[in-house]
Amino acid sequence: MGILLMNIVAFSMPMAAYINPTAFGGATGADLATYLVNYVLFDGKMRGLFSFLFGASTLLVIERAQSRGVSAAGVHYARMFWLLLFGLAHLFLIWWGDILAHYAIMGMILWFFRNRSVGKLILIGVLLLVLEFLLMASMPMWIWALQNGHAGDAAQTAKGMLAMQKTVGVPPAGIIDASLAVHRGDYAAIVADRIARHGLAPINMIFFVGPETLAYMLFGMAGYRSGMLTGAWSRGRYVRWLLIGFGISLPAYIAGAVYMVQSDFDMLAVASAVMTMPVIFRPLMILGWACLIILLMREGGALTARIAAAGRMAFSNYLLTSILCATFFYGYGFGFFGYLSRFEIYAVVLVVWALMLLWSKPWLERFRYGPLEWLWRSLSRGRPQPLAGGAIADA
């Protein structure tokens, strides 16, 4: 649900709008406020929390396979293989912003850390984040070099500036217009454009965000093994880490927001505040979010039960969200791509959230798994798994 707060921009607008609000979608009034709230509280944090949970669930599946006396490696790699295929199908057939293929690739690497202690998992994760920071720091350094004439001759500088405008700045109007035309067109044109622009995304992501993703998965393993993600900590400990996580990260993000606004979202400011600085502070806010959610969830509460059901069907809800949003915004559906402002698109988020909460619990009262969870499980085990029975009733 939190990931959709950010993904909705990528569903509804040209890609440049995701990072820089002045590129498209509105950068004043409610639109600017929406961007800044998302930047401070949600951008990257929900994806990071998802990565934490992916690492935790991977360790849980491995331990359960070992307890059943079956090959844990066989179970794990079968799951990752089919997740990779699901992700590639999602990427090419539904939406360019797929994360599943990347998670599957990182999950294959994750196996080799399954027996590490909590301390070593955290240490390796921190080292990976140092590597990620060095990768991300190269972007503002490159922009500074371009802006100050230290990036080669005029032709090289112009080429570099255009690349950075497409990434963290305001692309030329022709590029925005082309994106609008494609996504307001038919399905074949959208798929062809997606393959041309994002066909190598799973490979590129390994080098761009792979260290960070793997670090968060390792933190998730540590969180599971330490009891943090299972609710085993004392209330006081959760409160303490909530205050530490938000107390350190919130001021940094607020400072980043002020910096971007005061610079009128200059490329150097956006690259520094959105791409580089968060590598340091985002893990602390993710930890804060995890602690806050655990503290807020009241056992037996009606809303808690519905959110828990939506979470047990995260795979189905993730892909269903892509289908719904692509149908609503793209030309082969209702064709709203580029017509709603940054603030207005959140009406769509509320509708999708409501659908998740309305259908997940009734489904799990009748069936053991979500539909795609069942398919993934059946394919991974090489035979159809029992579906009827009701996961909530079984729990």
Side-chain angles (χ1 to χ4, degrees):
M1 292 172 68
I3 286 173
L4 182 58
L5 289 170
M6 299 308 306
N7 281 357
I8 193 67
V9 180
F11 279 117
S12 61
M13 300 178 189
M15 187 165 52
Y18 188 94
I19 292 180
N20 194 321
T22 61
F24 195 87
T28 60
D31 295 321
L32 176 60
T34 300
Y35 173 88
L36 295 176
V37 169
N38 277 331
Y39 165 73
V40 171
L41 293 178
F42 303 111
D43 184 22
K45 294 81 168 175
M46 299 296 104
R47 171 176 55 84
L49 185 58
F50 193 43
S51 301
F52 272 45
L53 295 174
F54 189 93
S57 65
T58 296
L59 192 55
L60 178 63
V61 169
I62 290 172
E63 289 182 351
R64 286 183 174 176
Q66 291 171 337
S67 68
R68 297 198 315 270
V70 300
S71 170
V75 170
H76 174 74
Y77 280 100
R79 293 180 77 246
M80 295 303 105
F81 170 76
W82 285 107
L83 183 63
L84 177 61
L85 294 187
F86 277 119
L88 293 175
H90 179 225
L91 169 65
F92 294 124
L93 301 179
I94 301 174
W95 182 51
W96 64 266
D98 171 74
I99 197 71
L100 300 177
H102 177 61
Y103 275 37
I105 294 170
M106 291 297 103
M108 293 177 185
I109 301 172
L110 192 62
W111 164 264
F112 298 99
F113 301 94
R114 68 195 184 281
N115 294 322
R116 300 288 183 177
S117 66
V118 171
K120 288 185 177 179
L121 289 169
I122 294 174
L123 176 60
I124 297 169
V126 169
L127 294 175
L128 286 168
L129 289 181
V130 171
L131 175 59
E132 183 73 23
F133 177 79
L134 294 175
L135 291 172
M136 292 298 103
S138 65
M139 184 174 293
M141 292 173 62
W142 176 239
I143 293 172
W144 181 89
L146 289 168
Q147 292 177 339
N148 290 275
H150 302 303
D153 58 28
Q156 291 174 318
T157 299
K159 183 178 180 181
M161 288 294 288
L162 178 60
M164 289 297 98
Q165 286 171 350
K166 292 179 180 179
T167 305
V168 294
V170 180
I175 293 176
I176 296 293
D177 291 341
S179 178
L180 293 173
V182 166
H183 291 95
R184 291 171 180 173
D186 59 28
Y187 181 76
I190 293 174
V191 170
D193 179 78
R194 188 181 300 144
I195 293 172
R197 294 179 182 274
H198 306 287
L200 296 178
I203 297 174
N204 294 335
M205 289 181 72
I206 296 173
F207 302 100
F208 190 64
V209 295
E212 182 182 55
T213 301
L214 184 58
Y216 291 166
M217 290 179 178
L218 294 175
F219 292 156
M221 280 185 164
Y224 171 75
R225 188 157 278 163
S226 70
M228 187 271 284
L229 287 176
T230 63
W233 284 8
S234 67
R235 182 176 180 85
R237 193 176 183 186
Y238 282 115
V239 171
R240 182 167 65 253
W241 280 105
L242 164 64
L243 295 176
I244 292 172
F246 278 95
I248 296 174
S249 59
L250 265 180
Y253 273 101
I254 292 171
V258 172
Y259 175 38
M260 287 191 291
V261 171
Q262 290 182 343
S263 71
D264 198 24
F265 293 93
D266 169 79
M267 289 193 298
L268 180 60
V270 173
S272 300
V274 177
M275 309 299 289
T276 307
M277 178 275 288
V279 178
I280 300 172
F281 296 99
R282 186 158 47 217
L284 290 168
M285 188 171 285
I286 296 168
L287 176 60
W289 268 115
C291 292
L292 179 62
I293 292 169
I294 291 170
L295 288 168
L296 289 177
M297 290 298 100
R298 182 170 58 86
E299 186 175 356
L303 182 59
T304 298
R306 289 195 174 273
I307 292 175
R312 295 183 73 156
M313 293 173 54
F315 187 29
S316 295
N317 281 320
Y318 176 76
L319 290 180
L320 177 63
T321 294
S322 292
I323 293 170
L324 290 173
C325 290
T327 302
F328 183 78
F329 288 109
Y330 289 170
Y332 58 80
F334 293 94
F336 276 88
F337 188 86
Y339 287 113
L340 301 181
S341 75
R342 189 175 299 272
F343 175 73
E344 291 170 342
I345 58 177
Y346 286 90
V348 179
V349 171
L350 294 177
V351 171
V352 176
W353 279 2
L355 291 174
M356 285 187 195
L357 296 176
L358 285 172
W359 89 291
S360 298
K361 186 172 180 289
W363 177 278
L364 289 178
E365 287 171 346
R366 297 187 58 189
F367 302 104
R368 295 186 180 187
Y369 317 105
L372 286 174
E373 284 78 7
W374 172 82
L375 179 60
W376 185 19
R377 190 181 184 93
S378 297
L379 290 170
S380 298
R381 298 195 175 188
R383 61 185 184 278
Q385 297 296 297
L387 181 59
I392 291 177
D394 291 345

